[in-house]
Amino acid sequence: MRLPRTRPRSLAGQLFAMQVVLIAAVVAGCAVFAYVSGSAQAEETAARQVRVAALAVADSPSVREAIRTPDPSAVLQPYAERVREDTGIAFVTIMDTERVRWTHPDTSQIGDTFLGNTAKALRGQTFTETYTGTLGPSIRVVTPIRDNGRIVGLVSAGITVDRVSSQVREQLGALALAAGGALALGGIGTYVINARLRRHTHGMNAAELSRLHDYHQATLHAVREGLLMLDGRRRIALINDAGRELLGLAPDTEAVGRTVDELALPAPLTGALLASEPRVDELHLTADRVIVVNTRPVVGGEQRGTVVTLRDHTELQALSGELDSERGFTQALRSQAHEAANRLHTVVSLIELGRVEEAVDFATAELELAQVLTDRVVGAVEEPVLAALLLGKAAQANERGVELVLAEDSLIDDGALPPSLAQRDLVTILGNLIDNAVDAASEAPEGAEESGAAMPSPRTAGGPAGRARVTVTALADERELLLRIADTGAGIGPEAADEVFRRGWSTHGAGRGLGLALVRQAAHRNGGTVELDAGPDGGARFTVRLPLGDRTAGSAAGARAKEVTA
């Protein structure tokens, strides 16, 4: 039969046992020390007491006079008993130089020889000794009696050891009571501390706490979500590696102990971290990332704080934007397929009516209109990703009644862009700017675009026929890539020019206002800039400049691509 495994005692229990043993040992040591020192002190006090009594008797004139009489005992015995009773000692014995007693508490012992040492006293010295006499072991003092410089007798005063021990035992009782009180008080204090420690450690032992700490550290470094813990003063109490990365903190930056205000984060993100109420799945922008913030206040403990989790939403936001573009392409293709079917029916009907030449002219005109933009885009923009994006956006714009025009000076050779410039960032920048421009150019006069509020003045029409238009300029030279998008919309007022890039700034309702913030973020991530001014057609014009580094790798890749195509 396998015995159940016993769980080790908790850390609080171990400390409690150690503290009880320590307090008991300290109290016991103090008691022993007090007993030993008390015994020594009692013996010293008794010796001092009998010494004083013996010297007082030896110096008394009446004692010297009594010694000169024929019967000293008749006078000295009452005197010695009176001194003994007054001083509380055991005996006062007066004897001659031959050690014959003149006095004794037991009158039957008068006339007998004194039991003890007297040699030092006969030489004129006063000494103390412990000796067992007729009354048992005693602490005694023997001193000479002098009469005109001559030793005429001896005095011995003493107190029994039993009486000294009884005094020590009385003191020991008080000492034991004090020691018991100290032990009880120490036990109560230790129990209170133990209960508090048990609450804080949740009854775990030292091994469990060590293992929990190891798991805690491993989890902090392994989890991909950012974790941030703030104390009651909004200072960072804990932050993991993912949290440092998402907030843009350098690995060598000492973040623990600093307040959130000292991290130089965007104002909306700082406000979310400092908020006392919970925040759920809020989108916030840093310099390079889109992060989802969740906060929850700490409701227990001595000091309230906040637990913050951070999730990287950059990739998901980019994929969401690409998905929106794909949906737009699909809708545009569906619309074009519908339009192509209508035009094909028109051509067939013209042929059935016998008007073949008109059918050929109609079909040729439609093909020329579709091919002009394709040839223009493919000829000027040889980067396949940008070319495909422009063609798709052109179809979307045409569906909404907006003409997408590629400026005459646009030119991007194949391989002109370095591999370090991410294609996803280019799609984010150009796609969002074109979408905003199409919204601004196609909206009704009372509408408002995502990138800015509508002006009171009516929308400026583009082109000779007054059709809404978006003009795109894409130009790459040796130093930088220039992307400029201008529309014929209502434009953006000067009072809103500084706010358009802030996340959530939109007049289209909740869930909007992220496109331009992502544009600025992508440009900043690649070391570029975004500028806003008024376009030549009265609408808004956004200019993005991205620096181009070493393009050797990109040119080599383009050359290899051309060889494969050939």
Side-chain angles (χ1 to χ4, degrees):
M1 179 178 178
R2 186 176 181 181
L3 296 176
R5 184 178 179 181
T6 59
R7 183 173 180 269
R9 186 185 296 272
S10 67
L11 178 63
Q14 295 177 7
L15 291 178
F16 177 74
M18 293 174 59
Q19 289 173 341
V20 168
V21 171
L22 179 62
I23 291 176
V26 171
V27 171
C30 291
V32 171
F33 175 77
Y35 173 75
V36 173
S37 62
S39 299
Q41 185 176 4
E43 293 179 359
E44 182 180 356
T45 302
R48 187 183 302 110
Q49 183 179 3
V50 297
R51 184 183 182 88
V52 170
L55 292 175
V57 171
D59 291 340
S60 175
S62 60
V63 172
R64 290 194 294 269
E65 291 178 359
I67 293 176
R68 299 189 193 104
T69 63
D71 186 9
S73 295
V75 179
L76 294 178
Q77 176 65 18
Y79 174 76
E81 287 300 304
R82 189 166 56 253
V83 172
R84 181 181 67 83
E85 293 174 359
D86 292 342
T87 57
I89 60 180
F91 64 89
V92 176
T93 300
I94 305 174
M95 69 196 83
D96 60 13
T97 57
E98 299 296 331
R99 300 170 57 188
V100 176
R101 300 189 185 100
W102 287 328
T103 65
H104 195 278
D106 183 5
T107 56
S108 63
Q109 300 292 332
I110 297 175
D112 293 340
T113 303
F114 173 75
L115 299 178
N117 300 314
T118 60
K120 293 182 180 180
L122 292 174
R123 293 195 299 266
Q125 298 178 8
T126 300
F127 67 95
T128 304
E129 67 174 354
T130 300
Y131 195 85
T132 303
T134 58
L135 300 179
S138 62
I139 301 172
R140 59 179 63 180
V141 173
V142 181
T143 185
I145 302 174
R146 301 176 185 274
D147 187 6
N148 296 324
R150 184 172 59 89
I151 298 177
V152 295
L154 302 175
V155 177
S156 177
I159 185 170
T160 60
V161 175
D162 291 339
R163 183 176 296 184
V164 175
S165 299
S166 64
Q167 295 176 357
V168 174
R169 283 193 295 271
E170 292 176 358
Q171 296 177 357
L172 185 60
L175 177 64
L177 182 62
L183 184 61
L185 183 61
I188 294 174
T190 302
Y191 177 79
V192 173
I193 296 175
N194 171 261
R196 182 182 180 88
L197 182 61
R198 185 181 292 110
R199 287 197 304 270
H200 285 292
T201 59
H202 302 284
M204 292 186 290
N205 56 45
E208 291 172 337
L209 287 174
S210 178
R211 184 165 56 251
L212 180 63
H213 176 268
D214 295 339
Y215 288 157
H216 172 266
Q217 293 296 321
T219 302
L220 286 180
H221 291 288
V223 69
R224 295 187 62 186
E225 288 191 354
L227 180 61
L228 187 68
M229 294 185 182
L230 308 177
D231 60 15
R233 298 181 180 179
R234 295 300 188 267
R235 295 177 303 186
I236 298 176
L238 183 145
I239 185 171
N240 64 348
D241 297 340
R244 287 177 174 274
E245 182 180 357
L246 293 178
L247 294 180
L249 302 179
D252 56 346
T253 302
E254 184 61 34
V256 177
R258 300 173 60 186
T259 61
V260 176
D261 296 334
E262 298 175 1
L263 300 181
L265 299 175
L269 178 57
T270 301
L273 297 180
L274 296 178
S276 58
E277 68 277 2
R279 300 294 181 94
V280 180
D281 291 340
E282 285 191 0
L283 281 178
H284 289 274
L285 292 177
T286 63
D288 300 319
R289 296 179 183 274
V290 180
I291 59 177
V292 180
V293 178
N294 285 272
T295 67
R296 180 174 293 275
V298 178
V299 297
E302 298 179 356
Q303 195 174 18
R304 297 173 61 89
T306 306
V307 177
V308 182
T309 59
L310 308 171
R311 297 200 308 273
D312 192 355
H313 203 257
T314 307
E315 298 291 333
L316 183 59
Q317 190 64 40
L319 292 176
S320 177
E322 293 179 6
L323 180 60
D324 292 340
S325 297
E326 293 296 336
R327 288 175 178 173
F329 295 159
T330 302
Q331 294 175 359
L333 290 175
R334 186 182 298 113
S335 176
Q336 287 183 352
H338 182 72
E339 290 296 324
N342 291 335
R343 292 165 184 167
L344 182 59
H345 286 309
T346 302
V347 172
V348 172
S349 299
L350 288 174
I351 293 175
E352 290 177 351
L353 293 175
R355 298 185 177 184
V356 179
E357 293 182 359
E358 294 180 3
V360 172
D361 292 340
F362 179 80
T364 302
E366 292 298 323
L367 290 175
E368 289 178 352
L369 289 176
Q371 190 64 31
V372 167
L373 179 61
T374 301
D375 293 342
R376 177 76 185 94
V377 170
V378 173
V381 181
E382 297 186 13
E383 283 291 334
V385 174
L386 294 182
L389 179 65
L390 289 173
L391 291 176
K393 293 298 182 182
Q396 287 181 274
N398 185 66
E399 174 66 18
R400 298 182 60 181
V402 178
E403 179 184 6
L404 182 65
V405 178
L406 187 63
E408 293 295 333
D409 56 346
S410 297
L411 178 61
I412 299 179
D413 295 331
D414 188 14
L417 303 183
S420 59
L421 186 57
Q423 294 180 348
R424 174 170 292 180
D425 289 341
L426 292 178
V427 172
T428 298
I429 294 172
L430 192 58
N432 280 285
L433 291 179
I434 292 177
D435 287 342
N436 288 345
V438 171
D439 287 343
S442 63
E443 66 184 1
E446 67 275 12
E449 58 174 325
E450 179 180 355
S451 60
M455 299 292 290
S457 58
R459 174 173 51 86
T460 304
R467 184 181 183 185
R469 183 175 70 252
V470 172
T471 303
V472 178
T473 302
L475 178 63
D477 56 19
E478 295 293 332
R479 297 177 302 168
E480 66 178 11
L481 170 65
L482 173 66
L483 299 176
R484 179 177 291 126
I485 293 88
D487 60 71
T488 58
I492 298 177
E495 69 281 355
D498 294 334
E499 295 292 325
V500 294
F501 296 104
R502 180 173 57 84
R503 187 200 71 81
W505 193 91
S506 175
T507 58
H508 284 178
R512 303 294 298 275
L514 190 60
L516 289 179
L518 291 176
V519 168
R520 185 177 64 174
Q521 186 185 79
H524 179 270
R525 186 162 49 243
N526 291 277
T529 60
V530 182
E531 298 176 356
L532 170 62
D533 58 1
D537 297 323
R541 180 174 65 179
F542 289 88
T543 302
V544 179
R545 300 179 185 274
L546 302 177
L548 301 180
D550 185 9
R551 298 186 299 172
T552 304
S555 300
R560 287 194 298 270
K562 291 181 179 179
E563 291 176 359
V564 173
T565 304

